[in-house]
Amino acid sequence: MLLYIISYDIPKDKKRKKIADILEGYGTRVQYSVFECLLNQNQYQSLQKKLKKLIDLKEDSLRFYPLSQH
Protein backbone atom coordinates (compact mmCIF):
# COMPACT_ATOMS: atom_id res chain seq x y z
CA MET A 1 0.00 0.00 0.00
CA LEU A 2 1.20 3.48 -0.82
CA LEU A 3 -0.05 6.82 0.52
CA TYR A 4 -0.88 9.34 -2.21
CA ILE A 5 -1.74 13.00 -2.01
CA ILE A 6 -4.08 13.70 -4.90
CA SER A 7 -4.90 17.25 -5.91
CA TYR A 8 -6.94 18.68 -8.73
CA ASP A 9 -7.93 21.93 -10.38
CA ILE A 10 -11.04 21.45 -12.49
CA PRO A 11 -12.79 24.58 -13.84
CA LYS A 12 -16.17 22.99 -14.61
CA ASP A 13 -18.40 22.45 -11.55
CA LYS A 14 -20.12 19.29 -12.77
CA LYS A 15 -16.87 17.54 -13.65
CA ARG A 16 -15.21 18.72 -10.42
CA LYS A 17 -18.09 17.17 -8.43
CA LYS A 18 -17.69 13.85 -10.27
CA ILE A 19 -13.93 13.80 -9.59
CA ALA A 20 -14.49 14.59 -5.90
CA ASP A 21 -17.15 11.86 -5.59
CA ILE A 22 -14.80 9.29 -7.09
CA LEU A 23 -11.93 10.32 -4.81
CA GLU A 24 -14.15 10.20 -1.72
CA GLY A 25 -14.60 6.51 -2.47
CA TYR A 26 -10.84 5.99 -2.25
CA GLY A 27 -9.63 8.33 0.46
CA THR A 28 -10.11 11.26 2.79
CA ARG A 29 -10.58 14.87 1.80
CA VAL A 30 -8.03 17.05 3.61
CA GLN A 31 -8.74 20.30 1.75
CA TYR A 32 -11.29 21.34 -0.84
CA SER A 33 -9.34 19.89 -3.77
CA VAL A 34 -6.84 17.64 -1.97
CA PHE A 35 -7.26 14.02 -0.89
CA GLU A 36 -5.12 11.51 1.00
CA CYS A 37 -5.54 7.99 -0.36
CA LEU A 38 -3.91 4.79 0.86
CA LEU A 39 -3.98 2.57 -2.22
CA ASN A 40 -2.71 -0.81 -3.26
CA GLN A 41 -1.65 -1.33 -6.88
CA ASN A 42 -5.09 -2.53 -8.03
CA GLN A 43 -6.87 0.40 -6.37
CA TYR A 44 -4.38 2.84 -7.88
CA GLN A 45 -4.92 1.45 -11.37
CA SER A 46 -8.70 1.42 -10.95
CA LEU A 47 -8.72 5.03 -9.75
CA GLN A 48 -6.44 6.14 -12.59
CA LYS A 49 -8.71 4.47 -15.13
CA LYS A 50 -11.87 6.13 -13.76
CA LEU A 51 -10.29 9.57 -13.60
CA LYS A 52 -8.69 9.41 -17.05
CA LYS A 53 -12.16 9.02 -18.56
CA LEU A 54 -13.17 12.40 -17.13
CA ILE A 55 -10.03 14.53 -17.38
CA ASP A 56 -9.36 16.88 -20.28
CA LEU A 57 -5.62 17.60 -20.15
CA LYS A 58 -6.09 20.91 -21.99
CA GLU A 59 -8.14 22.47 -19.19
CA ASP A 60 -7.92 20.20 -16.13
CA SER A 61 -5.11 19.45 -13.73
CA LEU A 62 -4.90 16.25 -11.68
CA ARG A 63 -1.78 15.33 -9.69
CA PHE A 64 -0.80 12.20 -7.78
CA TYR A 65 2.02 12.55 -5.25
CA PRO A 66 3.23 9.23 -3.78
CA LEU A 67 4.47 9.70 -0.21
CA SER A 68 5.29 6.42 1.52
CA GLN A 69 4.49 2.76 1.89
CA HIS A 70 3.49 3.15 5.56
Side-chain angles (χ1 to χ4, degrees), residues 11-52:
K12 294 181 181 172
D13 292 339
K14 188 174 179 180
K15 187 188 303 185
R16 186 171 52 246
K17 170 77 167 111
K18 286 181 182 181
I19 297 291
D21 288 346
I22 290 170
L23 288 169
E24 284 177 344
Y26 285 86
T28 304
R29 181 177 282 200
V30 293
Q31 288 188 3
Y32 184 72
S33 61
V34 179
F35 284 79
E36 290 179 346
C37 300
L38 187 60
L39 306 171
N40 64 34
Q41 188 64 29
N42 289 337
Q43 291 168 320
Y44 176 78
Q45 290 173 349
S46 174
L47 179 57
Q48 286 275 328
K49 186 176 181 179
K50 288 177 184 179
L51 295 175
K52 282 183 181 181

mmCIF file of all heavy atoms in Angstrom, residues 11-52:
data_model
loop_
_atom_site.group_PDB
_atom_site.id
_atom_site.type_symbol
_atom_site.label_atom_id
_atom_site.label_comp_id
_atom_site.label_asym_id
_atom_site.label_seq_id
_atom_site.Cartn_x
_atom_site.Cartn_y
_atom_site.Cartn_z
ATOM 1 N N PRO A 11 -11.972 23.368 -13.723
ATOM 2 C CA PRO A 11 -12.786 24.584 -13.842
ATOM 3 C C PRO A 11 -14.302 24.344 -13.908
ATOM 4 O O PRO A 11 -15.070 25.191 -13.461
ATOM 5 C CB PRO A 11 -12.289 25.259 -15.108
ATOM 6 C CG PRO A 11 -11.412 24.300 -15.800
ATOM 7 C CD PRO A 11 -11.093 23.189 -14.865
ATOM 8 N N LYS A 12 -14.735 23.233 -14.446
ATOM 9 C CA LYS A 12 -16.172 22.987 -14.606
ATOM 10 C C LYS A 12 -16.750 22.328 -13.356
ATOM 11 O O LYS A 12 -16.259 21.276 -12.909
ATOM 12 C CB LYS A 12 -16.430 22.118 -15.831
ATOM 13 C CG LYS A 12 -16.063 22.816 -17.124
ATOM 14 C CD LYS A 12 -16.340 21.963 -18.332
ATOM 15 C CE LYS A 12 -15.929 22.704 -19.601
ATOM 16 N NZ LYS A 12 -15.993 21.858 -20.778
ATOM 17 N N ASP A 13 -17.798 22.909 -12.810
ATOM 18 C CA ASP A 13 -18.396 22.449 -11.554
ATOM 19 C C ASP A 13 -18.858 20.992 -11.609
ATOM 20 O O ASP A 13 -18.601 20.220 -10.688
ATOM 21 C CB ASP A 13 -19.590 23.330 -11.164
ATOM 22 C CG ASP A 13 -19.186 24.730 -10.772
ATOM 23 O OD1 ASP A 13 -18.006 24.944 -10.417
ATOM 24 O OD2 ASP A 13 -20.050 25.620 -10.816
ATOM 25 N N LYS A 14 -19.562 20.635 -12.662
ATOM 26 C CA LYS A 14 -20.122 19.286 -12.766
ATOM 27 C C LYS A 14 -19.009 18.230 -12.789
ATOM 28 O O LYS A 14 -19.080 17.214 -12.092
ATOM 29 C CB LYS A 14 -20.992 19.186 -14.022
ATOM 30 C CG LYS A 14 -21.760 17.908 -14.130
ATOM 31 C CD LYS A 14 -22.701 17.945 -15.330
ATOM 32 C CE LYS A 14 -23.468 16.656 -15.462
ATOM 33 N NZ LYS A 14 -24.383 16.657 -16.605
ATOM 34 N N LYS A 15 -17.986 18.482 -13.566
ATOM 35 C CA LYS A 15 -16.866 17.544 -13.652
ATOM 36 C C LYS A 15 -16.098 17.494 -12.331
ATOM 37 O O LYS A 15 -15.701 16.436 -11.863
ATOM 38 C CB LYS A 15 -15.923 17.922 -14.789
ATOM 39 C CG LYS A 15 -14.848 16.878 -15.028
ATOM 40 C CD LYS A 15 -13.786 17.313 -16.009
ATOM 41 C CE LYS A 15 -14.316 17.699 -17.348
ATOM 42 N NZ LYS A 15 -13.223 17.997 -18.314
ATOM 43 N N ARG A 16 -15.911 18.657 -11.701
ATOM 44 C CA ARG A 16 -15.210 18.721 -10.420
ATOM 45 C C ARG A 16 -15.940 17.894 -9.367
ATOM 46 O O ARG A 16 -15.337 17.175 -8.584
ATOM 47 C CB ARG A 16 -15.068 20.177 -9.975
ATOM 48 C CG ARG A 16 -14.224 20.350 -8.737
ATOM 49 C CD ARG A 16 -13.918 21.805 -8.424
ATOM 50 N NE ARG A 16 -15.109 22.641 -8.394
ATOM 51 C CZ ARG A 16 -15.378 23.609 -9.243
ATOM 52 N NH1 ARG A 16 -14.545 23.907 -10.227
ATOM 53 N NH2 ARG A 16 -16.468 24.327 -9.138
ATOM 54 N N LYS A 17 -17.270 17.955 -9.372
ATOM 55 C CA LYS A 17 -18.085 17.169 -8.433
ATOM 56 C C LYS A 17 -17.904 15.674 -8.688
ATOM 57 O O LYS A 17 -17.774 14.885 -7.744
ATOM 58 C CB LYS A 17 -19.552 17.576 -8.567
ATOM 59 C CG LYS A 17 -20.528 16.701 -7.832
ATOM 60 C CD LYS A 17 -20.543 16.993 -6.360
ATOM 61 C CE LYS A 17 -21.741 16.328 -5.697
ATOM 62 N NZ LYS A 17 -21.396 15.252 -4.822
ATOM 63 N N LYS A 18 -17.883 15.268 -9.947
ATOM 64 C CA LYS A 18 -17.688 13.847 -10.274
ATOM 65 C C LYS A 18 -16.322 13.358 -9.803
ATOM 66 O O LYS A 18 -16.206 12.264 -9.248
ATOM 67 C CB LYS A 18 -17.817 13.619 -11.788
ATOM 68 C CG LYS A 18 -19.222 13.685 -12.296
ATOM 69 C CD LYS A 18 -19.258 13.426 -13.795
ATOM 70 C CE LYS A 18 -20.665 13.536 -14.330
ATOM 71 N NZ LYS A 18 -20.736 13.265 -15.769
ATOM 72 N N ILE A 19 -15.284 14.162 -10.024
ATOM 73 C CA ILE A 19 -13.933 13.796 -9.591
ATOM 74 C C ILE A 19 -13.895 13.653 -8.074
ATOM 75 O O ILE A 19 -13.362 12.679 -7.535
ATOM 76 C CB ILE A 19 -12.903 14.852 -10.060
ATOM 77 C CG1 ILE A 19 -12.842 14.935 -11.584
ATOM 78 C CG2 ILE A 19 -11.530 14.596 -9.447
ATOM 79 C CD1 ILE A 19 -12.252 13.761 -12.283
ATOM 80 N N ALA A 20 -14.473 14.622 -7.360
ATOM 81 C CA ALA A 20 -14.491 14.586 -5.897
ATOM 82 C C ALA A 20 -15.245 13.365 -5.393
ATOM 83 O O ALA A 20 -14.805 12.702 -4.445
ATOM 84 C CB ALA A 20 -15.102 15.861 -5.341
ATOM 85 N N ASP A 21 -16.370 13.033 -6.010
ATOM 86 C CA ASP A 21 -17.150 11.862 -5.595
ATOM 87 C C ASP A 21 -16.353 10.579 -5.763
ATOM 88 O O ASP A 21 -16.384 9.695 -4.903
ATOM 89 C CB ASP A 21 -18.455 11.766 -6.383
ATOM 90 C CG ASP A 21 -19.468 12.835 -5.987
ATOM 91 O OD1 ASP A 21 -19.287 13.483 -4.926
ATOM 92 O OD2 ASP A 21 -20.441 13.021 -6.753
ATOM 93 N N ILE A 22 -15.638 10.468 -6.862
ATOM 94 C CA ILE A 22 -14.801 9.285 -7.092
ATOM 95 C C ILE A 22 -13.712 9.206 -6.028
ATOM 96 O O ILE A 22 -13.502 8.158 -5.408
ATOM 97 C CB ILE A 22 -14.189 9.301 -8.504
ATOM 98 C CG1 ILE A 22 -15.272 9.073 -9.557
ATOM 99 C CG2 ILE A 22 -13.081 8.237 -8.636
ATOM 100 C CD1 ILE A 22 -14.822 9.312 -10.982
ATOM 101 N N LEU A 23 -13.028 10.311 -5.796
ATOM 102 C CA LEU A 23 -11.932 10.316 -4.814
ATOM 103 C C LEU A 23 -12.417 10.041 -3.402
ATOM 104 O O LEU A 23 -11.708 9.399 -2.622
ATOM 105 C CB LEU A 23 -11.180 11.648 -4.879
ATOM 106 C CG LEU A 23 -10.321 11.835 -6.120
ATOM 107 C CD1 LEU A 23 -9.836 13.270 -6.231
ATOM 108 C CD2 LEU A 23 -9.146 10.869 -6.103
ATOM 109 N N GLU A 24 -13.617 10.481 -3.052
ATOM 110 C CA GLU A 24 -14.154 10.201 -1.719
ATOM 111 C C GLU A 24 -14.349 8.708 -1.491
ATOM 112 O O GLU A 24 -14.333 8.246 -0.358
ATOM 113 C CB GLU A 24 -15.463 10.956 -1.501
ATOM 114 C CG GLU A 24 -15.231 12.422 -1.232
ATOM 115 C CD GLU A 24 -16.509 13.234 -1.085
ATOM 116 O OE1 GLU A 24 -17.594 12.750 -1.478
ATOM 117 O OE2 GLU A 24 -16.409 14.365 -0.577
ATOM 118 N N GLY A 25 -14.498 7.955 -2.572
ATOM 119 C CA GLY A 25 -14.604 6.509 -2.467
ATOM 120 C C GLY A 25 -13.261 5.822 -2.235
ATOM 121 O O GLY A 25 -13.214 4.631 -1.932
ATOM 122 N N TYR A 26 -12.180 6.558 -2.367
ATOM 123 C CA TYR A 26 -10.842 5.988 -2.246
ATOM 124 C C TYR A 26 -10.033 6.565 -1.086
ATOM 125 O O TYR A 26 -9.010 5.993 -0.726
ATOM 126 C CB TYR A 26 -10.054 6.208 -3.537
ATOM 127 C CG TYR A 26 -10.468 5.306 -4.666
ATOM 128 C CD1 TYR A 26 -11.520 5.648 -5.505
ATOM 129 C CD2 TYR A 26 -9.810 4.103 -4.895
ATOM 130 C CE1 TYR A 26 -11.907 4.821 -6.539
ATOM 131 C CE2 TYR A 26 -10.189 3.275 -5.930
ATOM 132 C CZ TYR A 26 -11.239 3.633 -6.750
ATOM 133 O OH TYR A 26 -11.617 2.809 -7.773
ATOM 134 N N GLY A 27 -10.449 7.709 -0.565
ATOM 135 C CA GLY A 27 -9.630 8.328 0.463
ATOM 136 C C GLY A 27 -10.372 9.384 1.252
ATOM 137 O O GLY A 27 -11.595 9.451 1.235
ATOM 138 N N THR A 28 -9.590 10.235 1.903
ATOM 139 C CA THR A 28 -10.109 11.263 2.795
ATOM 140 C C THR A 28 -9.777 12.645 2.251
ATOM 141 O O THR A 28 -8.628 12.915 1.911
ATOM 142 C CB THR A 28 -9.466 11.111 4.195
ATOM 143 O OG1 THR A 28 -9.716 9.793 4.666
ATOM 144 C CG2 THR A 28 -10.025 12.119 5.167
ATOM 145 N N ARG A 29 -10.798 13.489 2.224
ATOM 146 C CA ARG A 29 -10.578 14.868 1.797
ATOM 147 C C ARG A 29 -9.877 15.620 2.928
ATOM 148 O O ARG A 29 -10.320 15.595 4.061
ATOM 149 C CB ARG A 29 -11.901 15.539 1.466
ATOM 150 C CG ARG A 29 -11.725 16.969 0.994
ATOM 151 C CD ARG A 29 -13.048 17.557 0.610
ATOM 152 N NE ARG A 29 -13.375 17.029 -0.724
ATOM 153 C CZ ARG A 29 -14.238 17.579 -1.550
ATOM 154 N NH1 ARG A 29 -14.888 18.649 -1.202
ATOM 155 N NH2 ARG A 29 -14.468 17.055 -2.731
ATOM 156 N N VAL A 30 -8.763 16.276 2.605
ATOM 157 C CA VAL A 30 -8.031 17.047 3.609
ATOM 158 C C VAL A 30 -8.115 18.546 3.342
ATOM 159 O O VAL A 30 -7.866 19.348 4.242
ATOM 160 C CB VAL A 30 -6.558 16.589 3.739
ATOM 161 C CG1 VAL A 30 -6.483 15.184 4.311
ATOM 162 C CG2 VAL A 30 -5.826 16.671 2.430
ATOM 163 N N GLN A 31 -8.436 18.931 2.130
ATOM 164 C CA GLN A 31 -8.738 20.305 1.746
ATOM 165 C C GLN A 31 -9.744 20.217 0.611
ATOM 166 O O GLN A 31 -10.036 19.130 0.114
ATOM 167 C CB GLN A 31 -7.486 21.059 1.310
ATOM 168 C CG GLN A 31 -6.560 21.391 2.447
ATOM 169 C CD GLN A 31 -5.425 22.311 2.004
ATOM 170 O OE1 GLN A 31 -5.362 22.747 0.866
ATOM 171 N NE2 GLN A 31 -4.520 22.572 2.915
ATOM 172 N N TYR A 32 -10.228 21.352 0.168
ATOM 173 C CA TYR A 32 -11.287 21.340 -0.842
ATOM 174 C C TYR A 32 -10.927 20.502 -2.065
ATOM 175 O O TYR A 32 -11.741 19.717 -2.546
ATOM 176 C CB TYR A 32 -11.631 22.768 -1.268
ATOM 177 C CG TYR A 32 -12.784 22.804 -2.236
ATOM 178 C CD1 TYR A 32 -14.072 22.538 -1.810
ATOM 179 C CD2 TYR A 32 -12.572 23.063 -3.580
ATOM 180 C CE1 TYR A 32 -15.125 22.538 -2.690
ATOM 181 C CE2 TYR A 32 -13.624 23.073 -4.470
ATOM 182 C CZ TYR A 32 -14.903 22.811 -4.020
ATOM 183 O OH TYR A 32 -15.944 22.806 -4.902
ATOM 184 N N SER A 33 -9.719 20.626 -2.562
ATOM 185 C CA SER A 33 -9.338 19.886 -3.773
ATOM 186 C C SER A 33 -8.121 19.001 -3.547
ATOM 187 O O SER A 33 -7.352 18.741 -4.473
ATOM 188 C CB SER A 33 -9.077 20.865 -4.922
ATOM 189 O OG SER A 33 -8.027 21.731 -4.591
ATOM 190 N N VAL A 34 -7.969 18.492 -2.324
ATOM 191 C CA VAL A 34 -6.837 17.638 -1.974
ATOM 192 C C VAL A 34 -7.339 16.442 -1.167
ATOM 193 O O VAL A 34 -8.083 16.607 -0.202
ATOM 194 C CB VAL A 34 -5.777 18.412 -1.156
ATOM 195 C CG1 VAL A 34 -4.624 17.499 -0.787
ATOM 196 C CG2 VAL A 34 -5.289 19.632 -1.920
ATOM 197 N N PHE A 35 -6.887 15.259 -1.567
ATOM 198 C CA PHE A 35 -7.261 14.024 -0.891
ATOM 199 C C PHE A 35 -6.021 13.247 -0.493
ATOM 200 O O PHE A 35 -5.001 13.302 -1.182
ATOM 201 C CB PHE A 35 -8.098 13.135 -1.822
ATOM 202 C CG PHE A 35 -9.508 13.590 -1.986
ATOM 203 C CD1 PHE A 35 -9.824 14.629 -2.838
ATOM 204 C CD2 PHE A 35 -10.528 12.975 -1.294
ATOM 205 C CE1 PHE A 35 -11.124 15.067 -3.001
ATOM 206 C CE2 PHE A 35 -11.838 13.393 -1.438
ATOM 207 C CZ PHE A 35 -12.136 14.439 -2.297
ATOM 208 N N GLU A 36 -6.124 12.506 0.607
ATOM 209 C CA GLU A 36 -5.125 11.506 0.995
ATOM 210 C C GLU A 36 -5.740 10.142 0.737
ATOM 211 O O GLU A 36 -6.848 9.861 1.205
ATOM 212 C CB GLU A 36 -4.786 11.610 2.480
ATOM 213 C CG GLU A 36 -4.023 12.828 2.859
ATOM 214 C CD GLU A 36 -3.719 12.898 4.338
ATOM 215 O OE1 GLU A 36 -4.320 12.139 5.131
ATOM 216 O OE2 GLU A 36 -2.865 13.711 4.709
ATOM 217 N N CYS A 37 -5.027 9.313 -0.009
ATOM 218 C CA CYS A 37 -5.544 7.990 -0.358
ATOM 219 C C CYS A 37 -4.465 6.935 -0.122
ATOM 220 O O CYS A 37 -3.360 7.056 -0.663
ATOM 221 C CB CYS A 37 -5.971 7.946 -1.815
ATOM 222 S SG CYS A 37 -7.261 9.127 -2.247
ATOM 223 N N LEU A 38 -4.791 5.928 0.654
ATOM 224 C CA LEU A 38 -3.908 4.790 0.864
ATOM 225 C C LEU A 38 -4.368 3.708 -0.103
ATOM 226 O O LEU A 38 -5.459 3.142 0.055
ATOM 227 C CB LEU A 38 -3.995 4.322 2.320
ATOM 228 C CG LEU A 38 -3.017 3.256 2.754
ATOM 229 C CD1 LEU A 38 -1.574 3.741 2.582
ATOM 230 C CD2 LEU A 38 -3.266 2.863 4.195
ATOM 231 N N LEU A 39 -3.549 3.436 -1.121
ATOM 232 C CA LEU A 39 -3.976 2.573 -2.223
ATOM 233 C C LEU A 39 -3.002 1.434 -2.463
ATOM 234 O O LEU A 39 -1.782 1.636 -2.429
ATOM 235 C CB LEU A 39 -4.067 3.391 -3.517
ATOM 236 C CG LEU A 39 -4.929 4.647 -3.502
ATOM 237 C CD1 LEU A 39 -4.728 5.427 -4.789
ATOM 238 C CD2 LEU A 39 -6.387 4.296 -3.301
ATOM 239 N N ASN A 40 -3.554 0.258 -2.751
ATOM 240 C CA ASN A 40 -2.711 -0.813 -3.262
ATOM 241 C C ASN A 40 -2.633 -0.651 -4.782
ATOM 242 O O ASN A 40 -3.283 0.233 -5.357
ATOM 243 C CB ASN A 40 -3.219 -2.195 -2.829
ATOM 244 C CG ASN A 40 -4.592 -2.525 -3.392
ATOM 245 O OD1 ASN A 40 -4.943 -2.142 -4.504
ATOM 246 N ND2 ASN A 40 -5.393 -3.231 -2.620
ATOM 247 N N GLN A 41 -1.870 -1.479 -5.431
ATOM 248 C CA GLN A 41 -1.648 -1.335 -6.876
ATOM 249 C C GLN A 41 -2.947 -1.437 -7.671
ATOM 250 O O GLN A 41 -3.178 -0.661 -8.601
ATOM 251 C CB GLN A 41 -0.628 -2.371 -7.370
ATOM 252 C CG GLN A 41 -0.199 -2.181 -8.809
ATOM 253 C CD GLN A 41 0.547 -0.872 -9.037
ATOM 254 O OE1 GLN A 41 1.203 -0.337 -8.160
ATOM 255 N NE2 GLN A 41 0.443 -0.342 -10.239
ATOM 256 N N ASN A 42 -3.822 -2.369 -7.310
ATOM 257 C CA ASN A 42 -5.087 -2.535 -8.032
ATOM 258 C C ASN A 42 -5.996 -1.322 -7.846
ATOM 259 O O ASN A 42 -6.639 -0.869 -8.802
ATOM 260 C CB ASN A 42 -5.814 -3.801 -7.574
ATOM 261 C CG ASN A 42 -5.128 -5.057 -8.037
ATOM 262 O OD1 ASN A 42 -4.381 -5.051 -9.006
ATOM 263 N ND2 ASN A 42 -5.360 -6.149 -7.330
ATOM 264 N N GLN A 43 -6.058 -0.792 -6.627
ATOM 265 C CA GLN A 43 -6.867 0.398 -6.370
ATOM 266 C C GLN A 43 -6.324 1.595 -7.143
ATOM 267 O O GLN A 43 -7.098 2.376 -7.711
ATOM 268 C CB GLN A 43 -6.886 0.717 -4.870
ATOM 269 C CG GLN A 43 -7.640 -0.296 -4.045
ATOM 270 C CD GLN A 43 -7.390 -0.104 -2.565
ATOM 271 O OE1 GLN A 43 -6.266 0.174 -2.141
ATOM 272 N NE2 GLN A 43 -8.436 -0.262 -1.771
ATOM 273 N N TYR A 44 -5.017 1.742 -7.149
ATOM 274 C CA TYR A 44 -4.382 2.841 -7.876
ATOM 275 C C TYR A 44 -4.739 2.774 -9.363
ATOM 276 O O TYR A 44 -5.136 3.772 -9.962
ATOM 277 C CB TYR A 44 -2.871 2.779 -7.678
ATOM 278 C CG TYR A 44 -2.106 3.810 -8.455
ATOM 279 C CD1 TYR A 44 -2.043 5.131 -8.035
ATOM 280 C CD2 TYR A 44 -1.443 3.463 -9.631
ATOM 281 C CE1 TYR A 44 -1.344 6.086 -8.763
ATOM 282 C CE2 TYR A 44 -0.741 4.409 -10.358
ATOM 283 C CZ TYR A 44 -0.697 5.713 -9.922
ATOM 284 O OH TYR A 44 -0.014 6.652 -10.647
ATOM 285 N N GLN A 45 -4.612 1.605 -9.949
ATOM 286 C CA GLN A 45 -4.916 1.446 -11.368
ATOM 287 C C GLN A 45 -6.393 1.690 -11.662
ATOM 288 O O GLN A 45 -6.738 2.325 -12.662
ATOM 289 C CB GLN A 45 -4.491 0.061 -11.849
ATOM 290 C CG GLN A 45 -2.991 -0.102 -11.891
ATOM 291 C CD GLN A 45 -2.555 -1.528 -12.203
ATOM 292 O OE1 GLN A 45 -3.353 -2.451 -12.193
ATOM 293 N NE2 GLN A 45 -1.269 -1.694 -12.467
ATOM 294 N N SER A 46 -7.265 1.210 -10.791
ATOM 295 C CA SER A 46 -8.700 1.419 -10.954
ATOM 296 C C SER A 46 -9.052 2.907 -10.868
ATOM 297 O O SER A 46 -9.819 3.419 -11.695
ATOM 298 C CB SER A 46 -9.460 0.638 -9.879
ATOM 299 O OG SER A 46 -10.826 0.930 -9.926
ATOM 300 N N LEU A 47 -8.480 3.593 -9.907
ATOM 301 C CA LEU A 47 -8.723 5.025 -9.749
ATOM 302 C C LEU A 47 -8.204 5.799 -10.963
ATOM 303 O O LEU A 47 -8.905 6.670 -11.497
ATOM 304 C CB LEU A 47 -8.063 5.527 -8.461
ATOM 305 C CG LEU A 47 -8.195 7.017 -8.155
ATOM 306 C CD1 LEU A 47 -9.659 7.434 -8.107
ATOM 307 C CD2 LEU A 47 -7.484 7.343 -6.860
ATOM 308 N N GLN A 48 -7.006 5.484 -11.411
ATOM 309 C CA GLN A 48 -6.437 6.144 -12.593
ATOM 310 C C GLN A 48 -7.353 5.971 -13.801
ATOM 311 O O GLN A 48 -7.611 6.921 -14.533
ATOM 312 C CB GLN A 48 -5.054 5.563 -12.904
ATOM 313 C CG GLN A 48 -3.971 5.989 -11.961
ATOM 314 C CD GLN A 48 -3.379 7.316 -12.359
ATOM 315 O OE1 GLN A 48 -3.306 7.656 -13.525
ATOM 316 N NE2 GLN A 48 -2.962 8.075 -11.371
ATOM 317 N N LYS A 49 -7.853 4.770 -13.987
ATOM 318 C CA LYS A 49 -8.714 4.466 -15.131
ATOM 319 C C LYS A 49 -10.007 5.288 -15.082
ATOM 320 O O LYS A 49 -10.421 5.867 -16.092
ATOM 321 C CB LYS A 49 -9.034 2.973 -15.152
ATOM 322 C CG LYS A 49 -9.781 2.499 -16.352
ATOM 323 C CD LYS A 49 -9.953 0.990 -16.325
ATOM 324 C CE LYS A 49 -10.690 0.508 -17.542
ATOM 325 N NZ LYS A 49 -10.841 -0.953 -17.536
ATOM 326 N N LYS A 50 -10.628 5.366 -13.905
ATOM 327 C CA LYS A 50 -11.868 6.133 -13.757
ATOM 328 C C LYS A 50 -11.637 7.618 -14.014
ATOM 329 O O LYS A 50 -12.439 8.271 -14.681
ATOM 330 C CB LYS A 50 -12.434 5.942 -12.345
ATOM 331 C CG LYS A 50 -13.009 4.576 -12.106
ATOM 332 C CD LYS A 50 -13.489 4.444 -10.674
ATOM 333 C CE LYS A 50 -13.977 3.030 -10.415
ATOM 334 N NZ LYS A 50 -14.438 2.859 -9.029
ATOM 335 N N LEU A 51 -10.552 8.133 -13.471
ATOM 336 C CA LEU A 51 -10.292 9.568 -13.601
ATOM 337 C C LEU A 51 -9.874 9.958 -15.014
ATOM 338 O O LEU A 51 -10.250 11.028 -15.496
ATOM 339 C CB LEU A 51 -9.237 10.000 -12.588
ATOM 340 C CG LEU A 51 -9.652 9.884 -11.124
ATOM 341 C CD1 LEU A 51 -8.485 10.233 -10.212
ATOM 342 C CD2 LEU A 51 -10.866 10.736 -10.817
ATOM 343 N N LYS A 52 -9.134 9.110 -15.685
ATOM 344 C CA LYS A 52 -8.690 9.413 -17.052
ATOM 345 C C LYS A 52 -9.864 9.575 -18.007
ATOM 346 O O LYS A 52 -9.776 10.313 -18.982
ATOM 347 C CB LYS A 52 -7.737 8.336 -17.563
ATOM 348 C CG LYS A 52 -6.341 8.482 -17.008
ATOM 349 C CD LYS A 52 -5.407 7.441 -17.587
ATOM 350 C CE LYS A 52 -4.021 7.592 -17.001
ATOM 351 N NZ LYS A 52 -3.075 6.627 -17.537
#
